[in-house]
Amino acid sequence: MKLSKKKMTVLSFALGASVFVSTAFADMMLGSGYDRLKDSAKTTAAQMEKGLNNYTIEALFTLKDNDHTLMQASTFNKMDTQKQASENSTVTQYANGESTSNYSYSDKQVSIWKSGIENKYYVTEFPEDMDRENWSKFSNPFNEKGAPEIEKIVDALVGNLKDYVQAEDRPEGGRIYSGSLSATQVPAIVNAVSSFGVKQMMRDQAHMEGKMEFAEIESDIHVKKVTGTAIENKEGFLENVTGDIMLSGVDKNGVQHDLTLNVVFKLSDVGTTKITKPDLDGANVEKVSHFGGLTSKHVGTYKNDIVVEKDGKFVKIGERVIEITSVDGGKVSGAYSENVKPGFETDHPDSYQFKFEYKQNDYNPKFTYTNPKGEQETGSIHLSNPGKLYLDLQIEMIDKDSWRSNTRPNFDQQFNRVFEE
């Protein structure tokens, strides 16, 4: 799943701040609680990926500038590792009053997605024999490539903070871990990394449309406070984690800002979480090919110009047109034409005119057509940027997995959607 630029801004802050989260919790993990909490975190992550039959995760992220809330995001995620099903909903609210939301459901046979900006469900169905091993499942971050090296770096960064560990046994089993750091207790290296991370975040925010209205903090950037609590249950799982990270800095006008990120994570309903596939009877549904092919929203007209060079100038002598007339049940129907202006026929002889129809049954669906000489050739249509299609003609198969397109003179493969004004 690719992240949007706006989400990347939030992620940038989270990544920058994660050093301090790690610091705080690694602080708690040092001393008597260090190995226990680290093992508990690893056990919890491993069981969430594969071990717990089902469970629910709730998370809340709140970002503030002084007392002004810039953004608040909440997620509610149900997972069933036995049935290989998941259900997720997220809501993000910004300081300017705007909010975004989305919902998704996934199992081995179907994936359903709906955003909060339109009353439509996008449904992708998968063949029974398709291997959907990665069905939106939780991935253990400790198994990611490079995770051991990152763990060693974090250990090195916080190696002198073990005196701040607090670990307390719970009467019902498990432990409560807590810790806090003031500005004077934060190592210089952490402050240096924080300054770099915050400046990078501000630069990224300046280059994109932002909804969080970040102040332009330029100097005296440092970690002001870190606090955190983690509750381990009697089974050894971390069922509740909270953390606050406060970064301070001064903007170009000399105004001090305290950026605070609050994170709440809760693991609950282990063994009792139930996931129900949404009932879409009567709902506005659009089916989407599992390999990202055309859907009904691509029905329409697409054009590009036929351009030649004459007398040292570029001259438009006509248009190429793709008409997508229907996309139904994965079957695409349409027509292709080349319309040359009178007087320019010799500059573009043998104009192609044909209808096509094909089934989107793999990632590179192809269709056959007849060229102006009566010969049968092969073509293919691909998705391009939003509102654009990419057309290949005169395809020559090299083997069963590879092919090439023999480009015609002055042939432009990029077609733009014609919109009604």
Side-chain angles (χ1 to χ4, degrees):
M1 177 180 70
K2 291 185 177 179
L3 296 176
S4 68
K5 289 184 176 180
K6 300 183 181 73
K7 289 184 177 179
M8 283 300 296
T9 301
V10 179
L11 183 59
S12 296
F13 183 88
L15 290 175
S18 65
V19 173
F20 316 115
V21 174
S22 301
T23 300
F25 289 117
D27 166 33
M28 293 181 284
M29 291 188 284
L30 288 166
S32 62
Y34 179 79
D35 291 328
R36 286 180 178 274
L37 185 52
K38 181 183 285 188
D39 288 344
S40 183
K42 290 182 176 180
T43 299
T44 303
Q47 291 294 304
M48 288 170 60
E49 183 181 56
K50 187 177 182 181
L52 300 178
N53 290 342
N54 54 70
Y55 56 88
T56 298
I57 302 172
E58 297 173 72
L60 178 66
F61 306 88
T62 305
L63 178 62
K64 291 185 177 181
D65 181 354
N66 295 330
D67 293 327
H68 179 57
T69 301
L70 300 176
M71 182 274 295
Q72 187 172 74
S74 62
T75 66
F76 190 83
N77 196 353
K78 295 180 178 180
M79 304 289 289
D80 192 318
T81 56
Q82 280 198 324
K83 297 180 179 178
Q84 297 190 4
S86 65
E87 192 173 11
N88 177 267
S89 60
T90 66
V91 177
T92 304
Q93 295 179 313
Y94 298 94
N96 62 4
E98 292 185 33
S99 66
T100 61
S101 64
N102 62 69
Y103 165 86
S104 66
Y105 168 90
S106 180
D107 62 28
K108 295 183 68 173
Q109 276 74 52
V110 66
S111 176
I112 300 171
W113 185 83
K114 180 182 182 300
S115 76
I117 60 175
E118 60 179 341
N119 186 28
K120 179 184 288 187
Y121 291 86
Y122 293 90
V123 178
T124 302
E125 297 176 337
F126 301 92
E128 291 184 1
D129 58 352
M130 183 175 178
D131 181 11
R132 287 206 71 210
E133 183 179 355
N134 298 318
W135 48 272
S136 303
K137 67 179 182 180
F138 174 83
S139 296
N140 184 353
F142 292 101
N143 289 338
E144 296 292 332
K145 187 177 181 180
E149 288 74 17
I150 294 175
E151 184 179 328
K152 290 179 181 177
I153 293 172
V154 173
D155 289 350
L157 283 174
V158 301
N160 62 340
L161 300 176
K162 59 184 179 182
D163 293 340
Y164 305 107
V165 170
Q166 293 182 16
E168 180 183 351
D169 290 336
R170 302 173 66 194
E172 61 271 45
R175 282 180 169 78
I176 298 177
Y177 302 88
S178 62
S180 64
L181 293 174
S182 64
T184 58
Q185 294 168 322
V186 175
I189 182 64
V190 175
N191 267 323
V193 174
S194 71
S195 178
F196 173 80
V198 170
K199 289 181 178 179
Q200 182 67 38
M201 177 187 67
M202 299 300 174
R203 185 164 56 247
D204 292 344
Q205 176 69 12
H207 285 83
M208 66 182 68
E209 177 189 0
K211 296 180 179 179
M212 290 190 287
E213 304 171 355
F214 274 117
E216 296 182 23
I217 299 177
E218 295 183 340
S219 61
D220 194 24
I221 302 172
H222 63 280
V223 180
K224 192 171 184 177
K225 185 174 68 175
V226 180
T227 61
T229 302
I231 299 177
E232 175 193 281
N233 64 18
K234 61 182 180 181
E235 285 80 24
F237 302 142
L238 295 178
E239 60 182 17
N240 197 306
V241 178
T242 61
D244 283 286
I245 308 151
M246 180 182 290
L247 309 179
S248 185
V250 178
D251 68 19
K252 61 182 179 181
N253 298 318
V255 178
Q256 180 174 329
H257 295 265
D258 289 335
L259 291 176
T260 305
L261 176 65
N262 173 260
V263 179
V264 178
F265 168 87
K266 182 180 179 182
L267 171 64
S268 63
D269 298 335
V270 176
T272 59
T273 293
K274 297 185 181 302
I275 300 175
T276 304
K277 182 180 177 181
D279 183 0
L280 299 184
D281 285 348
N284 185 7
V285 173
E286 177 171 332
K287 291 194 175 182
V288 180
S289 166
H290 68 273
F291 42 81
L294 275 63
T295 66
S296 59
K297 69 182 177 185
H298 296 101
V299 171
T301 301
Y302 301 77
K303 292 184 177 180
N304 73 15
D305 296 333
I306 303 175
V307 178
V308 298
E309 185 172 353
K310 294 178 70 74
D311 301 327
K313 297 180 181 179
F314 294 116
V315 179
K316 177 181 175 180
I317 64 170
E319 291 180 331
R320 303 176 184 89
V321 180
I322 297 176
E323 295 272 1
I324 303 297
T325 54
S326 73
V327 180
D328 185 17
K331 187 175 74 174
V332 179
S333 301
Y336 173 80
S337 62
E338 296 175 350
N339 307 311
V340 179
K341 295 180 180 180
F344 292 97
E345 290 84 355
T346 57
D347 294 292
H348 191 82
D350 299 328
S351 295
Y352 278 45
Q353 313 282 338
F354 60 83
K355 294 183 178 180
F356 59 85
E357 184 175 286
Y358 63 96
K359 188 77 173 180
Q360 301 184 107
N361 52 8
D362 61 34
Y363 289 94
N364 291 299
K366 299 176 180 59
F367 58 84
T368 57
Y369 61 91
T370 303
N371 69 19
K373 296 180 181 179
E375 301 166 336
Q376 194 170 70
E377 296 178 342
T378 302
S380 182
I381 294 175
H382 313 277
L383 297 180
S384 183
N385 292 321
K388 297 182 179 180
L389 297 179
Y390 196 83
L391 173 67
D392 279 312
L393 294 177
Q394 298 182 332
I395 287 176
E396 178 183 355
M397 297 302 299
I398 299 174
D399 55 42
K400 67 181 182 63
D401 297 318
S402 60
W403 51 272
R404 61 170 171 254
S405 175
N406 298 313
T407 305
R408 299 166 58 211
N410 302 317
F411 183 67
D412 185 352
Q413 297 159 294
Q414 183 83 16
F415 287 71
N416 298 327
R417 177 75 170 266
V418 179
F419 295 96
E420 295 182 2
E421 300 294 340

